[in-house]
């Protein structure tokens, strides 16, 4: 019974991985290059894992299937590298770079399989298997280096938290699977398959339970990709927005909205939101609240007889709780403690 359960948990991940891989390759929308690489990555991993499962439980499987599984393993690392690369930066040059890498690798794999079959060259394949695993490990390393190189854009400057979780999970999951297969001789041959099943279902649960899938799969969402604005327009929007907010003191309006500001500036609200998100690393509410908090701090320092609630209302907040939350977010302290720190009782 335990062997049957082990087979089930090992094989079910591989089977479902093929289904998900085909979905990303042919049915996922929008049609992005990163989706193609993600689908290919799931397929390659699933085929490799499937080969391990059947070889572990039924070691009489055809040599051709063993070779096919190892061929898939040969491409796992490159698919991971180009998936992460295209998810971070969806540029046309990535496609050309991927083709120049994947086509030669695939050609070498196919030629090797036909010229040196497993059944006739078992000693050679013993060496080739180590080469395949080392190549896989190297691409995992290169992917990690790429993530580290782009850490500011991906993990610090970006507000897209779901993508940070997803891309980290993809990388760490693949690292775990790669290590499991590379250390199979010292642990158990089936550990790699079990690792894949665990990682796969963790990723699928994350994918299913997060509604805004574009934010999860892409660093830059489609909304902003379709509305690129150049640097000169960004500077103009920033200047006009700051002038409008500070000169007319619009931040004192408790009912101020991005649509109202867009109407006054005669600029689309999408462009304002995009400018704030991409270039000022903030959103409209936090941007307006920053001016309100600065005004509130000055009032707290000068108007000793005013209550904090009165100051909040005078500075554009429509409730005391909103004021306290915004103040703590902007300054790291509460209005009451700020008043005490400035010697005001």
């Amino acid at each position: 019974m335990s062997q049957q359960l082990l087979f089930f948990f090992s094989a079910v991940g591989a089977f479902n991985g093929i289904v998900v891989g085909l979905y990303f390759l042919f049915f996922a929308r929008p049609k992005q290059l990163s989706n193609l690489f993600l689908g290919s990555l799931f397929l390659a991993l699933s085929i490799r894992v499937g080969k391990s499962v059947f070889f572990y439980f039924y070691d009489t499987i055809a040599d051709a299937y063993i070779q096919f599984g190892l061929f898939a393993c040969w491409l796992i690392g490159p698919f991971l590298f180009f998936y992460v690369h295209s998810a971070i930066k969806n540029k046309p040059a990535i496609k050309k770079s991927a083709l120049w890498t994947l086509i030669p690798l695939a050609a070498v794999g196919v030629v090797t399989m036909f010229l040196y079959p497993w059944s006739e060259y078992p000693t050679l394949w013993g060496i080739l298997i180590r080469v395949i695993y080392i190549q896989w490990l190297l691409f995992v390393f290169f992917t990690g280096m790429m993530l580290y190189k782009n850490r500011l854009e991906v993990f610090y400057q970006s507000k897209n938290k779901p993508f940070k979780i997803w891309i980290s999970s993809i990388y760490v999951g693949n690292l775990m699977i790669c290590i499991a297969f590379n250390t199979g001789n010292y642990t158990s041959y089936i550990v790699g398959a079990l690792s894949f099943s665990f990682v796969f279902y963790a990723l699928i649960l994350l994918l299913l339970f997060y509604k805004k899938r574009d934010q999860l799969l892409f660093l830059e969402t489609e909304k902003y990709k379709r509305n690129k604005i150049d640097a000169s327009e960004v500077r103009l929007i920033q200047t006009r927005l700051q002038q409008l907010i500070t000169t007319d003191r619009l931040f004192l309006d408790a009912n101020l909205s991005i649509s109202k500001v867009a109407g006054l500036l005669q600029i689309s609200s999408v462009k304002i939101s995009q400018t704030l998100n991409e270039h000022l690393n903030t959103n409209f509410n936090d941007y307006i609240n920053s001016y309100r908090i600065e005004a509130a701090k000055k009032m707290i320092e000068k108007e000793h007889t005013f209550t904090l609630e009165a100051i909040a209302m005078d500075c554009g907040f429509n409730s005391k709780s909103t004021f306290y939350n915004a103040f703590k977010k902007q300054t790291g302290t509460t209005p009451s403690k700020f008043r005490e720190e400035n010697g005001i009782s």
Side-chain angles (χ1 to χ4, degrees):
M1 184 65 180
S2 59
Q3 285 292 94
Q4 291 175 333
L5 284 174
L6 186 61
F7 175 78
F8 174 78
F9 285 116
S10 303
V12 72
F15 174 77
N16 289 320
I18 291 174
V19 174
V20 173
L22 292 173
Y23 167 77
F24 276 105
L25 275 173
F26 300 107
F27 305 105
R29 296 291 183 275
K31 272 290 183 184
Q32 293 284 350
L33 186 63
S34 59
N35 278 339
L36 298 179
F37 288 130
L38 182 60
S40 300
L41 175 62
F42 274 128
L43 275 180
L45 277 167
S46 300
I47 293 169
R48 174 62 186 87
V49 168
K51 170 258 175 189
S52 294
V53 172
F54 285 99
F55 186 73
Y56 181 80
F57 290 97
Y58 307 100
D59 57 5
T60 57
I61 62 171
D63 293 340
Y65 186 68
I66 295 175
Q67 290 187 195
F68 188 57
L70 292 171
F71 171 72
C73 189
W74 178 243
L75 298 176
I76 291 172
F79 283 140
L80 171 67
F81 178 84
F82 286 111
Y83 166 66
V84 173
H85 197 181
S86 58
I88 294 173
K89 296 181 178 180
N90 189 19
K91 296 181 178 179
I94 296 174
K95 184 177 181 180
K96 184 181 292 186
S97 176
L99 290 174
W100 278 103
T101 303
L102 291 169
I103 290 176
L105 285 175
V108 168
V110 170
V111 170
T112 302
M113 283 196 303
F114 279 100
L115 293 183
Y116 305 98
W118 173 284
S119 57
E120 297 179 24
Y121 298 90
T123 304
L124 175 62
W125 274 96
I127 298 171
L128 290 177
I129 288 172
R130 297 311 308 158
V131 172
I132 290 170
Y133 283 158
I134 290 171
Q135 181 253 37
W136 183 5
L137 195 59
L138 283 173
F139 269 101
V140 171
F141 173 77
F142 293 144
T143 305
M145 290 298 294
M146 178 173 54
L147 284 170
Y148 180 76
K149 183 179 178 181
N150 292 279
R151 64 190 183 281
L152 290 178
E153 181 182 353
V154 177
F155 297 106
Y156 297 110
Q157 296 175 355
S158 174
K159 292 275 188 177
N160 192 347
K161 292 182 181 179
F163 178 80
K164 299 175 190 180
I165 296 171
W166 172 260
I167 206 70
S168 300
S169 301
I170 285 284
Y171 178 72
V172 173
N174 274 270
L175 178 61
M176 288 172 54
I177 296 166
C178 182
I179 291 173
F181 273 111
N182 271 278
T183 57
N185 291 334
Y186 310 102
T187 54
S188 173
Y189 189 71
I190 202 65
V191 169
L194 291 172
S195 300
F196 173 73
S197 292
F198 171 77
V199 170
F200 173 76
Y201 282 107
L203 291 172
I204 293 305
L205 284 173
L206 182 62
L207 193 62
L208 289 175
F209 283 97
Y210 197 81
K211 295 179 181 179
K212 298 179 180 179
R213 203 182 68 190
D214 279 5
Q215 287 186 359
L216 193 68
L217 296 177
F218 309 110
L219 177 62
E220 186 180 8
T221 60
E222 282 298 295
K223 176 179 70 174
Y224 290 156
K225 286 180 183 178
R226 291 193 296 266
N227 297 282
K228 286 288 185 181
I229 50 179
D230 57 40
S232 59
E233 189 175 6
V234 167
R235 288 192 295 270
L236 179 62
I237 292 172
Q238 289 177 347
T239 302
R240 291 182 62 192
L241 182 60
Q242 186 178 22
Q243 287 175 346
L244 180 69
I245 299 299
T246 55
T247 303
D248 297 342
R249 296 179 68 80
L250 284 181
F251 60 86
L252 298 179
D253 180 2
N255 297 313
L256 185 65
S257 65
I258 192 170
S259 58
K260 182 175 181 179
V261 172
L264 292 170
L265 292 177
Q266 295 185 325
I267 299 172
S268 73
S269 57
V270 171
K271 285 191 175 182
I272 294 174
S273 179
Q274 184 175 355
T275 299
L276 293 173
N277 275 269
E278 292 187 342
H279 301 279
L280 296 181
N281 201 29
T282 187
N283 56 51
F284 181 77
N285 287 336
D286 287 346
Y287 179 77
I288 298 301
N289 283 343
S290 67
Y291 287 99
R292 290 170 176 165
I293 296 302
E294 286 303 312
K297 286 163 65 178
K298 291 176 182 178
M299 286 192 69
I300 291 173
E301 292 169 349
K302 293 180 180 179
E303 306 294 343
H304 300 178
T305 59
F306 279 35
T307 65
L308 291 174
E309 188 172 3
I311 291 173
M313 299 304 160
D314 283 352
C315 292
F317 291 97
N318 51 25
S319 73
K320 186 178 179 179
S321 61
T322 304
F323 170 58
Y324 267 69
N325 291 334
F327 198 98
K328 181 72 179 291
K329 185 176 182 179
Q330 294 280 346
T331 66
T333 188
T334 64
S336 302
K337 287 184 179 179
F338 179 81
R339 172 169 267 178
E340 291 174 7
E341 290 168 359
N342 283 274
I344 306 164
S345 59

